[in-house]
Amino acid sequence: MGYNVAIDGPAGAGKSTIAKLVAKEKGYIYVDTGAMYRALAIHFLKKGISPEDTAGIVGACGDADVSIRYENGAQQVFLNGENVTSMLRTEEVGNMASMTSPVPEVREKLLELQRTLARENDVIMDGRDIGTNILPNADVKIYLTASVDTRAQRRYDELKEKGEDCDLEQIARDIRERDERDMSRETAPLKKAEDAILVDSSDMTIPEVVSTICSYCR
Ligand code: DC
């Protein structure tokens, strides 16, 4: 059994940035479960399935194979043998992942992959239901959050840096909408596990968040 750190929280809380740094410092593998939902979302988009078409999504799960490999410590995601890692982080794919991840068959499809990675490796795994559902016996559970305004500003700065045109108000609206969807769904909604440690990063620097989380880990 690996040593398992679960890190859940809303979109834009900085989970992946922080988890990658903690993984490096502690020698864990970083498992980004959102990337798995995004890979399935690419599969549905490629097939032209609408997010409302639950039967179509369930059917399409049957011919999707998502797998993970690590290259120089970086997670690479494969969809039916194709490396789709560079296609995962668009708004279109993120929204499709958010709209299709409530479907129980979608979650079921990825559950075993996530649990196997945690069984076989020391991991820090980020997502929405890791501490509550995937790894209920994780050694450490963190719920990482930040205010909507902070998360919107971070996303805005990130996009501006990439030279993309964006609107802060629109980003904040999208974040609220995504939170609402992730937290109110029936299957495995985003919520803090009772035994998770709450870390609100609104007024913390990245090194402060990393060292806080590292202080709880072996
Ligand atoms: O963390 P992310 O933005 O890459 O995740 C994309 C979507 O996938 C997110 O809106 C909700 C869903 N997701 C999930 O339901 N469960 C997870 N463990 C991870 C992501």
Side-chain angles (χ1 to χ4, degrees), residues 121-135:
N121 305 279
D122 292 343
V123 298
I124 178 161
M125 184 176 289
D126 92 8
R128 303 293 190 285
D129 64 336
I130 310 305
T132 50
N133 190 42
I134 303 293
L135 306 175

Side-chain angles (χ1 to χ4, degrees), residues 19-37:
K20 270 184 207 157
L21 291 166
V22 173
K24 205 167 185 187
E25 178 139 346
K26 295 286 186 179
Y28 310 146
I29 281 178
Y30 165 53
V31 181
D32 172 2
T33 62
M36 301 175 188
Y37 288 93

Side-chain angles (χ1 to χ4, degrees), residues 34-198:
M36 301 175 188
Y37 288 93
R38 287 170 182 264
L40 278 184
I42 290 179
H43 181 66
F44 305 140
L45 286 168
K46 275 187 177 170
K47 291 189 152 237
I49 298 170
S50 115
E52 287 81 36
D53 177 9
T54 307
I57 290 167
V58 171
C61 280
D63 59 7
D65 177 56
V66 176
S67 60
I68 299 293
R69 265 180 249 156
Y70 286 86
E71 286 173 15
N72 302 321
Q75 174 177 289
Q76 303 291 315
V77 185
F78 291 78
L79 171 65
N80 292 335
E82 182 193 354
N83 188 336
V84 292
T85 312
S86 65
M87 296 144 86
L88 299 176
R89 304 223 60 91
T90 66
E91 290 303 300
E92 185 193 19
V93 171
N95 285 330
M96 188 66 172
S98 174
M99 288 186 283
T100 54
S101 56
V103 177
E105 286 79 358
V106 169
R107 309 202 69 81
E108 189 60 33
K109 175 108 200 151
L110 299 174
L111 181 131
E112 215 33 59
L113 173 61
Q114 294 168 9
R115 287 199 177 145
T116 303
L117 283 164
R119 203 166 39 240
E120 295 177 351
N121 305 279
D122 292 343
V123 298
I124 178 161
M125 184 176 289
D126 92 8
R128 303 293 190 285
D129 64 336
I130 310 305
T132 50
N133 190 42
I134 303 293
L135 306 175
N137 298 317
D139 298 278
V140 178
K141 295 182 188 177
I142 304 289
Y143 189 83
L144 181 64
T145 189
S147 68
V148 170
D149 288 347
T150 304
R151 290 185 281 138
Q153 188 66 50
R154 286 177 188 161
R155 181 79 186 129
Y156 177 85
D157 294 344
E158 199 181 305
L159 289 169
K160 276 281 170 204
E161 194 156 311
K162 284 192 206 157
E164 286 179 37
D165 197 25
C166 54
D167 173 48
L168 186 60
E169 281 307 309
Q170 181 61 43
I171 294 173
R173 270 196 297 278
D174 286 349
I175 286 180
R176 276 196 198 91
E177 214 175 281
R178 178 90 65 99
D179 282 359
E180 172 63 24
R181 226 171 15 228
D182 291 350
M183 291 176 185
S184 65
R185 68 187 183 204
E186 251 172 63
T187 320
L190 167 66
K191 66 167 193 253
K192 180 184 162 301
E194 269 177 28
D195 51 351
I197 299 154
L198 176 71

